[in-house]
Amino acid sequence: FGFKTITDIHLPEQCETVGAVVDAMQIPAFLCRQTDLLVAAAKTGCAINVKKGQFLSPYEMEFVTNKLDEAGAREIWQTDRGTTFGYQNLVVDMRSFSIMADNGHPTVIDATHSVQLPGAAGGVSGGQREFVPTLARAALAAGANGVFLETHPDPSQAISDAASQIPLEELPELVESLLRVWKAVR
């Protein structure tokens, strides 16, 4: 493996410049239905990681991946980061990985964003990081092709997503447990 770079993009006019220096672009969940952004990203030749919006069902990702396919995307990853469930809560439906796989592209669980509690911490997102390992292992068992995790040496000092990040010291053990699940179900 060589070092791979990925970054979020937010505007179509960013795609060409950013695409010249990264291997993959990530379409944020709230922007996953923005046709002009999807098309511009696909045309760069970079791999595209598109996060399923919290407001979409997994069935609707077909329309997102179709736009990327039609625009010539060379590689597409579909990432589930939960669906809005009431106020200030997300839930991951494990059926999503099979449903989205029918689109012909790999599926990924964003295990750290999936445990966020949007707006639940006084205007910022709270989170329940203790459930990250459970969701990540369950998603792999349900057919996800990969796991997205955010980590930090000291999550309490993180600028964003502090409540859902995995402490860096816990990452090796978590990755080992995920690899055991991967090998058991493949």
Side-chain angles (χ1 to χ4, degrees):
F1 296 106
F3 180 74
K4 300 294 182 188
T5 54
I6 185 170
T7 190
D8 280 9
I9 53 168
H10 300 92
L11 299 168
E13 53 268 22
Q14 296 172 335
C15 293
E16 186 176 349
T17 302
V18 172
V21 295
V22 300
D23 301 300
M25 292 186 191
Q26 182 165 276
I27 308 293
F30 283 119
L31 300 175
C32 72
R33 294 183 56 194
Q34 299 302 309
T35 301
D36 54 346
L37 180 61
L38 295 170
V39 169
K43 290 183 177 186
T44 66
C46 292
I48 307 298
N49 179 34
V50 60
K51 291 197 173 181
K52 180 184 80 58
Q54 300 92 312
F55 46 85
L56 290 182
S57 74
Y59 297 102
E60 293 168 285
M61 284 299 286
E62 173 186 5
F63 306 111
V64 175
T65 59
N66 284 348
K67 289 176 185 180
L68 289 165
D69 280 328
E70 290 168 8
R74 70 171 175 83
E75 186 174 352
I76 302 166
W77 313 326
Q78 305 169 88
T79 299
D80 194 345
R81 46 112 2 115
T83 300
T84 301
F85 184 72
Y87 296 116
Q88 301 174 324
N89 201 4
L90 299 171
V91 66
V92 178
D93 181 349
M94 292 300 149
R95 298 173 299 175
S96 295
F97 301 102
S98 293
I99 294 165
M100 292 190 308
D102 286 344
N103 299 332
H105 301 286
T107 61
V108 177
I109 173 78
D110 180 343
T112 46
H113 284 108
S114 294
V115 299
Q116 284 184 334
L117 301 171
V124 298
S125 289
Q128 296 175 310
R129 82 168 52 90
E130 67 270 22
F131 295 119
V132 168
T134 301
L135 283 177
R137 288 190 294 261
L140 289 175
N145 302 102
V147 177
F148 178 98
L149 297 166
E150 285 190 340
T151 187
H152 192 280
D154 181 3
S156 69
Q157 299 301 308
I159 294 171
S160 66
D161 302 336
S164 57
Q165 291 190 36
I166 296 296
L168 188 57
E169 66 187 21
E170 295 175 17
L171 190 61
E173 183 179 335
L174 175 56
V175 170
E176 287 176 19
S177 77
L178 297 175
L179 288 171
R180 286 193 301 274
V181 172
W182 176 267
K183 291 174 184 174
V185 298
R186 300 281 178 307

